[in-house]
Amino acid sequence: MLLFNPSLSMDTILTLTLIPDVVKTRLQKQVIKPGKPVKYTGIVQAITLIAKEEGVAALWKGITPRLMRIMPGQAITFMTYEAVSSGLTRRGYFC
């Protein structure tokens, strides 16, 4: 039987979704001055420029605070599911 590992998938999802989040933050935070071109003009251009100027690892800046915020919530979700599931199984609602 093939089992699905939710923590592994959550790590993968967090890792992949952090790049667009970093780019979104950079696009929103840039200062726009009249008559001067903006530094980031789009998603692909921003990813390329960030990787070129700061290195590829810069695309994952902020992963530690994000994981520190999300992981406890996921642990609570999994523990709650297990507690409710085992309680319902003991009462005969689940087989």
Side-chain angles (χ1 to χ4, degrees), residues 14-33:
L14 285 173
T15 304
L16 295 176
T17 60
L18 191 63
I19 295 172
D21 194 50
V22 167
V23 172
K24 173 192 67 96
T25 302
R26 299 281 182 102
L27 286 166
Q28 290 175 336
K29 292 285 189 174
Q30 67 183 337
V31 178
I32 300 173
K33 295 179 183 176

Side-chain angles (χ1 to χ4, degrees), residues 11 14-15 18 21-22 57-72:
D11 293 344
L14 285 173
T15 304
L18 191 63
D21 194 50
V22 167
L59 294 169
W60 286 274
K61 277 186 178 177
I63 195 165
T64 301
R66 188 172 186 189
L67 288 174
M68 297 302 287
R69 183 184 75 232
I70 291 173
M71 289 176 76

Side-chain angles (χ1 to χ4, degrees), residues 47-94:
I47 291 171
T48 306
L49 191 60
I50 292 167
K52 186 187 296 182
E53 288 183 348
E54 302 174 42
V56 177
L59 294 169
W60 286 274
K61 277 186 178 177
I63 195 165
T64 301
R66 188 172 186 189
L67 288 174
M68 297 302 287
R69 183 184 75 232
I70 291 173
M71 289 176 76
Q74 291 302 312
I76 292 168
T77 300
F78 294 140
M79 288 188 308
T80 303
Y81 170 80
E82 289 298 325
V84 170
S85 177
S86 65
L88 291 174
T89 301
R90 278 194 306 266
R91 288 175 178 79
Y93 293 109
F94 278 151

